[in-house]
Amino acid sequence: YFSLKEESIMSKSVKKLTVAGLLIALGVAASPLYIPIGASKCFPVQHLVNVLAAVLLGPWYGVSMAFVTSLLRVLIGTGSLLAFPGSMCGALLAGLLYKYGGGRISIACVGEVFGTAVIGGMLAYPVALYLLGNADAALFAYVLPFGVSTLGGTIIAVVVLAACKRLGLTEAFRHGGA
């Protein structure tokens, strides 16, 4: 038998895992929708779910969700190894900036764009060079393509979160036990 506090914690964890699972499913199901730019597959839906995870779940669930989505996309052939640095850096920075930046969606969006385009784009260089064998890769080669991808997905996330906020869904989710 669980105490009321333990039940509340379990309920909160189950809700967060459920939302993370739904975001992963959305990311994987939409993975055929990408824009090829060079060796990368720009995938705006990943950035949409990263911002949603940052706002609704927090940084650690967000980065875990980005990892699992990237892994599944690579395993089914709709993503490349370049999915890991971009999506995970964007999700982590978006979640951290949202959490410690006063809970502002705009700050989460800045984190997603900077984390994906700049940090993830630069971390994609060693992945391309050593794991994909792309000897022509340059340090900043993925910053622009990742930036295009993340801007598209982040703009969609702003629209979705604005609608959710108007309907009271974001507050209900955060304060209603999740």
Side-chain angles (χ1 to χ4, degrees), residues 81-163:
L81 293 177
L82 299 174
F84 289 99
S87 66
M88 293 173 64
C89 291
L92 180 61
L93 192 56
L96 289 171
L97 289 181
Y98 183 79
K99 182 176 182 176
Y100 298 111
R104 295 191 329 240
I105 293 170
S106 60
I107 298 295
C109 292
V110 168
E112 171 62 25
V113 171
F114 187 82
T116 297
V118 178
I119 299 171
M122 288 174 39
L123 287 175
Y125 168 71
V127 173
L129 185 63
Y130 298 114
L131 297 179
L132 299 178
N134 185 353
D136 296 330
L139 181 59
F140 294 101
Y142 297 103
V143 172
L144 183 61
F146 283 18
V148 170
S149 181
T150 191
L151 278 174
T154 301
I155 290 168
I156 296 167
V158 168
V159 172
V160 169
L161 286 169

Side-chain angles (χ1 to χ4, degrees), residues 8 13 19 22 37 88 90 110 126 148 152:
S8 175
S13 295
V19 171
L22 290 171
I37 300 178
M88 293 173 64
V110 168
V148 170

